[in-house]
Amino acid sequence: EVQLVESGGGLAKPGGSLRLSCAASGFTFKSAYMTWVRQAPGKGLQWVGHIKSKGHGGTADYAAAVKGRFTISRDDSKNTLYLQLNSLKAEDTAVYYCTREYFWYFDFWGRGTLVTVSS
Amino acid sequence: QSVLTQPPSVSGAPGQRVTISCTGSSSNIGAGYDVHWYQQLPGTAPKLLIHTSSNRPSGVPDRFSGSKSGTSASLAITGLQAEDEADYYCQSYDSSLSGSVFGGGTKLTVL
């Protein structure tokens, strides 16, 4: 059974940082593209970015709203995906979901972790 | 303003058929990129409902179907049930943005 479990959310100040983690199990993590999607309170879904498998270069792409501030990385030895959030803004407040990506769609989702940016 | 446009809400009585539209442009749906649909029940994470425009993952009832034409796509739900009350999102790839894009979401109310 595929499981994705996010952690690391919480309260951060504007300009601050947080690191989210996503522990994956039930599939061959090292072969998977992985994606972060966020949802602001009461709002719709927003693609944050993804990271390719190392076999396909291991590079990451980002949405314009987070490029230069957020970094996606992976540790295939730990089956874990990361999202480093820097220079946080109030508009980054959202539930952050970890998803497995398959040909640009997202077939499994975690339950999400809430990030609140407030002074 | 979402790149993909969905109606904010639709409604229907139990047993009826409803459709949810998703309108894009020449850089996403119109460019031939597939459309995918997700269902988000209240207080839960989204779940893949339809992928590659018209394919249902295992476990999704055949009451749900998807189609695509030109720069638009549609999700149809037949035999509406109370448990279908949820938010529905379409998603595709956009070549101008070089990333995935979602519709703004449609809230389905079962009357």
Side-chain angles (χ1 to χ4, degrees), chain A residues 37 39 43-47 61-62 97 102-112, chain B residues 36 38 40 44-48 51-52 89 91 93 97-104:
Chain A
V37 174
Q39 186 172 34
K43 302 296 184 183
L45 302 173
Q46 182 183 29
W47 181 76
D61 297 300
Y62 302 92
Y97 295 104
Y102 188 72
F103 286 103
W104 282 105
Y105 63 87
F106 315 120
D107 58 355
F108 292 97
W109 296 62
R111 292 187 176 186
Chain B
H36 319 290
Y38 303 86
Q40 186 174 31
T44 70
K47 166 194 158 186
L48 179 65
H51 68 84
T52 325
Y89 295 90
Q91 175 247 325
Y93 176 83
L97 299 173
S98 299
S100 228
V101 289
F102 286 94

Side-chain angles (χ1 to χ4, degrees), chain A residues 6 20 34-50 61-67 69-70 72 83 85 88-99 101 104 106 109 113 115, chain B residues 1-4 6 38 40 46 88-92 97 99-105:
Chain A
E6 302 93 338
L20 309 183
M34 299 296 296
T35 294
W36 289 96
V37 174
R38 69 183 181 182
Q39 186 172 34
K43 302 296 184 183
L45 302 173
Q46 182 183 29
W47 181 76
V48 173
H50 76 169
D61 297 300
Y62 302 92
V66 307
K67 196 169 186 177
R69 300 188 299 122
F70 291 7
I72 300 173
L83 178 64
L85 298 78
L88 282 163
K89 305 175 183 179
E91 52 264 40
D92 295 320
T93 294
V95 173
Y96 286 75
Y97 295 104
C98 163
T99 80
E101 179 186 321
W104 282 105
F106 315 120
W109 296 62
T113 187
V115 171
Chain B
Q1 193 80 357
S2 301
V3 173
L4 304 179
Q6 298 180 235
Y38 303 86
Q40 186 174 31
Y88 292 84
Y89 295 90
C90 61
Q91 175 247 325
S92 185
L97 299 173
S100 228
V101 289
F102 286 94

Side-chain angles (χ1 to χ4, degrees), chain A residues 29-33 51-59 74 76:
Chain A
F29 180 78
K30 66 178 182 181
S31 301
Y33 284 35
I51 187 166
K52 300 176 183 177
S53 62
K54 287 206 167 47
H56 287 145
T59 56
R74 61 192 301 158
D76 292 342

Side-chain angles (χ1 to χ4, degrees), chain B residues 75-95:
Chain B
L75 172 70
I77 310 172
T78 58
L80 209 54
Q81 299 179 4
E83 68 213 47
D84 298 333
E85 195 159 281
D87 293 323
Y88 292 84
Y89 295 90
C90 61
Q91 175 247 325
S92 185
Y93 176 83
D94 191 283
S95 57

Side-chain angles (χ1 to χ4, degrees), chain B residues 17-89:
Chain B
R17 178 180 187 270
V18 296
T19 62
I20 298 173
S21 61
C22 174
T23 302
S25 67
S26 58
S27 61
N28 42 68
I29 300 174
Y33 294 108
D34 286 314
V35 178
H36 319 290
W37 292 89
Y38 303 86
Q39 177 192 59
Q40 186 174 31
L41 296 170
T44 70
K47 166 194 158 186
L48 179 65
L49 194 64
I50 298 284
H51 68 84
T52 325
S53 300
S54 60
N55 295 277
R56 284 185 309 277
S58 172
V60 174
D62 59 7
R63 301 186 296 105
F64 295 90
S65 63
S67 63
K68 188 184 91 162
S69 179
T71 58
S72 296
S74 289
L75 172 70
I77 310 172
T78 58
L80 209 54
Q81 299 179 4
E83 68 213 47
D84 298 333
E85 195 159 281
D87 293 323
Y88 292 84
Y89 295 90

